Each structure stands twice: as C-alpha cells, then as structure tokens.
Amino acid sequence: MLKNQQSKACINIIRVMGKNKLERFAENLTFDNLFQVGFEQLKNNDFFLKGKWREEYFKNDNPIVLELGCGKGEYTVGLGERYAERNFIGIDIKGARLWRGCKTAFENKMRNVAFLRCQIQMLEKLFDKDEVDEIWITFCDPQLKNENRRLTCPRFLERYAKVIKPGGILHLKTDSTELYEYTSEMLKQENHHIIFESNDLYGTDFEDDVKEIQTFYEKMYLKEGKKIKYIKFQL
C-alpha cells in the first residue's frame, strides 16, 4: 500500500515537472530577449545577428560579455544589473533553465541582457571575429568522462579565440577539482596567460565580481562546505 502511494506521488511530481517545463517553453516564445537557434538553422548559414549584435540588437557600441552554459542566467543577469555600460549574453541549450534568466531580464526591462538557446559548438556561427570582449564559464558540467566536451578543452578554446578580441578575459568558476586542475595544467601547457587562479577562491582576498555574484548551485556548494575554484586567463 505504502509502495503504491509512493509510486503515485512520484508520478504526480513528474507530471507537474513536465507541465512546468511545457509552460516555460511556451513562455520562452514570448520573450524578445531570447533567441532559440537550432543546428539546422546554422548548418549552412550564419546567425542573422552575427557581427551586428551591437548595432541591431543592443543599439550601442558597448563591450559584449558571454556566459557559456549559463543555466538560469544568474551571472548574466547579475552582471547586467551591475554594468549598464556593457552588453551580456547568456548561452545554454536547456530552455527550461534559461526561462528564469529571460523572465527576470524581460520583466526588469534590461536592454543590455540577451539569451541564446543553442549549442556552444556553434559559437563561430553566432559571433564575428573579435566581436566578444569577455567570456564567463560558470559551474559547467566538468564532463569527467569526455575531455573533448569540456568547455575549457583546447577544442573549445580554439572556438573562443575566433570570436574574442585579442587580450579578452576569460573566467572559469567551478566546484570541480578535476576540471580546475585539468584547465590549469592545460592552459600552462598551451602557453596561455593565467592572470589569477585559486583552488579556494573564498579563502583568498581576491576582490572581483567573481565573489559578489553567486549562482544557485554555488550557494548550495558553499553551504555544503565545498571549495570554489577559479581561474582568470587570456588566450
């Protein structure tokens, strides 16, 4: 009897979660700050805003900052609130997650914030050479079983190099010791410039937005006593 009740409860939870996802997908279609771009759309053609983000979308000449694997977009929105003189674009493939950041930015009329639902592998189809000024990678999947899918592997860094301006800053913030150590070692081997790194960010006196803005998962990790790792670097 108890087992049947637990099963029914689980089914109801799944139904509610499924309904919430569908509702979020539907609301995503109403946001003018979200662009949903499929692989087939970019297979033979560049995105229509490539090279024109400042001119046609943001309507200014301010720097462009990306958050890759942005999830709920906490960093994208948080940075957008702090720096009205910069443009921020969060990128993720999960529409239900993006909904939160899109909704917050939309309701608060944040014209310096946008989101892209697409694969990060398509970055060169989305942005022109030197169009991006800065990149944040915050609490991404460390992809422990597949090096080529890590957002800091050489394959991805080559993609970033094609869109970020010379001297542009990149940030990795993670709870994963494996991803942190892999990235640090790889950057040194490839002769990239590490500006700052720490395997215990909150144990240092380093002052930056990297401490001031915290994602949902970061707050959870800190409560669990996990150490946050951080690398600031240039290609």
Side-chain angles (χ1 to χ4, degrees), residues 181-206:
E181 292 180 348
Y182 164 82
T183 304
S184 177
E185 185 60 32
M186 184 274 301
L187 291 174
K188 292 166 185 172
Q189 288 179 358
E190 298 288 327
N191 293 316
H192 297 301
H193 176 50
I194 296 177
I195 299 169
F196 177 84
E197 65 174 324
S198 174
N199 65 359
D200 182 11
L201 175 64
Y202 291 93
T204 72
D205 58 2
F206 185 72

Side-chain angles (χ1 to χ4, degrees), residues 201-226:
L201 175 64
Y202 291 93
T204 72
D205 58 2
F206 185 72
E207 295 297 333
D208 205 326
D209 297 315
V210 70
K211 283 185 177 180
E212 296 301 319
I213 300 172
Q214 296 179 353
T215 68
F216 169 82
Y217 289 107
E218 180 176 3
K219 291 174 183 175
M220 183 175 69
Y221 297 145
L222 288 170
K223 283 183 180 179
E224 293 173 356
K226 290 185 178 180

Side-chain angles (χ1 to χ4, degrees), residues 32-35 49 53 57-58 65-67 70 76-77 87-91 98 101-102 105 110-116:
D32 63 4
N33 60 359
L34 172 63
F35 299 92
L49 285 175
W53 279 97
Y57 181 77
F58 292 112
V65 182
L66 306 183
E67 184 190 4
C70 69
T76 302
V77 171
N87 302 316
F88 298 91
I89 304 173
I91 304 177
L98 281 172
C102 293
M110 300 176 67
R111 298 314 304 168
N112 65 329
V113 172
F115 291 91
L116 276 164

Side-chain angles (χ1 to χ4, degrees), residues 104-118:
T104 299
F106 180 77
E107 291 180 343
N108 292 335
K109 296 180 172 57
M110 300 176 67
R111 298 314 304 168
N112 65 329
V113 172
F115 291 91
L116 276 164
R117 183 188 179 192
C118 65

Side-chain angles (χ1 to χ4, degrees), residues 46-68:
D46 290 335
F47 186 53
F48 77 100
L49 285 175
K50 177 179 176 178
K52 303 173 184 176
W53 279 97
R54 291 181 179 88
E55 176 187 354
E56 295 192 6
Y57 181 77
F58 292 112
K59 311 293 185 183
N60 60 50
D61 197 36
N62 295 337
I64 290 178
V65 182
L66 306 183
E67 184 190 4
L68 305 181

Side-chain angles (χ1 to χ4, degrees), residues 15-28 94-97 99:
R15 283 175 178 167
V16 170
M17 289 175 65
K19 183 181 178 183
N20 287 343
K21 273 193 174 184
L22 291 175
E23 289 175 350
R24 290 178 179 182
F25 289 151
E27 191 170 10
N28 278 347
K94 301 287 188 180
R97 293 179 189 169
W99 168 84

